[in-house]
Amino acid sequence: EEGAILMAQENVLRRMTESNYPEAAWALETYYTPSYKMSQFVNGEGVVLYHAPAAITDGDTFVHFRYSDVISAGDLYTSDRYPMIDVAKGGTVQGVIDGLNQILEVAVPEFRHQGGTMVIPGHGRIGDSADVAVYRNMVSILRDRIQELIKEGKSLQQIKAFRPTLDYDGIYGSPDKFIDAVYQNLTTTGPAGSR
């Protein structure tokens, strides 16, 4: 009996190998290009994988099931929590924004950004282009707020005390890890901190 097809961006397999994950958990197939179109239908679907580099990690993929017109976004889009950016594994706030924009480029709304392509988040409720755009806007606004506080010379503790996410916390929960990651991204020089 055939199980699920395990595919991943090449960086995922590299990390699993370095971490000595059991081989049985490894992806059977990897890709290294910005997108990868499956060479055959899977369960009656045309499937395209898209790499969102430097988003939650450096190995994020979202998958478009073309016949069903559904995008499985993984943790790139989580409708009920802030992005859990893993800076140590190459994640950046700008990469999350870029990945969300990439989802919006692939998705097709039915009417005025409502309906159409359904987007399945890593956590939370299923949404559409409008929901992804709201989430993308939230991440962009908070990145900009934190950037301004950094420009004012505020420390991480001062920024948290200022509560720049207060108007979103009721929707997305505790912002601490998100603020930590954004602060680290924006105060680090080099590729991880570049915008």
Side-chain angles (χ1 to χ4, degrees):
E1 184 174 299
E2 190 176 316
I5 297 172
L6 294 175
M7 295 193 64
Q9 203 279 336
E10 201 168 72
N11 290 336
V12 174
L13 183 60
R14 180 178 49 80
R15 288 194 191 285
M16 292 179 92
T17 306
E18 290 169 356
S19 301
N20 293 321
Y21 263 74
E23 275 188 52
W26 291 4
L28 298 175
E29 197 171 335
T30 63
Y31 72 101
Y32 60 89
T33 52
S35 66
Y36 178 78
K37 182 167 54 173
M38 298 284 288
S39 59
Q40 63 192 38
F41 273 36
V42 177
N43 293 333
E45 294 268 0
V47 178
V48 182
L49 290 83
Y50 294 89
H51 180 218
I56 300 300
T57 69
D58 60 8
D60 292 295
T61 294
F62 69 89
V63 182
H64 184 209
F65 297 90
R66 291 172 37 161
Y67 181 77
S68 300
D69 199 20
V70 169
I71 292 173
S72 177
D75 282 349
L76 179 58
Y77 168 60
T78 53
S79 64
D80 66 348
R81 63 187 70 179
Y82 291 107
M84 297 296 285
I85 300 167
D86 191 336
V87 177
K89 291 188 172 97
T92 66
V93 66
Q94 188 59 49
V96 170
I97 293 166
D98 294 344
L100 293 167
N101 281 331
Q102 196 176 3
I103 289 174
L104 291 170
E105 286 174 21
V106 173
V108 179
E110 186 175 347
F111 180 73
R112 296 187 179 167
H113 298 287
Q114 298 290 317
T117 305
M118 292 285 97
V119 182
I120 301 171
H123 301 272
R125 65 177 177 74
I126 293 174
D128 58 18
S129 295
D131 297 305
V132 175
V134 165
Y135 191 78
R136 185 264 332 261
N137 292 348
M138 174 273 296
V139 176
S140 299
I141 288 165
L142 296 181
R143 180 217 40 211
D144 292 349
R145 286 179 186 173
I146 294 168
Q147 180 68 68
E148 285 304 311
L149 294 167
I150 290 168
K151 284 181 184 174
E152 292 173 13
K154 302 239 185 306
S155 70
L156 176 58
Q157 289 71 29
Q158 289 171 321
I159 290 172
K160 285 183 177 181
F162 191 76
R163 301 182 74 186
T165 63
L166 182 60
D167 47 337
Y168 293 104
D169 291 347
I171 301 168
Y172 301 111
S174 172
D176 284 351
K177 290 181 180 177
F178 175 70
I179 294 171
D180 289 343
V182 174
Y183 182 85
Q184 192 173 347
N185 282 165
L186 299 177
T187 58
T188 304
T189 55
S194 59
R195 289 188 7 160

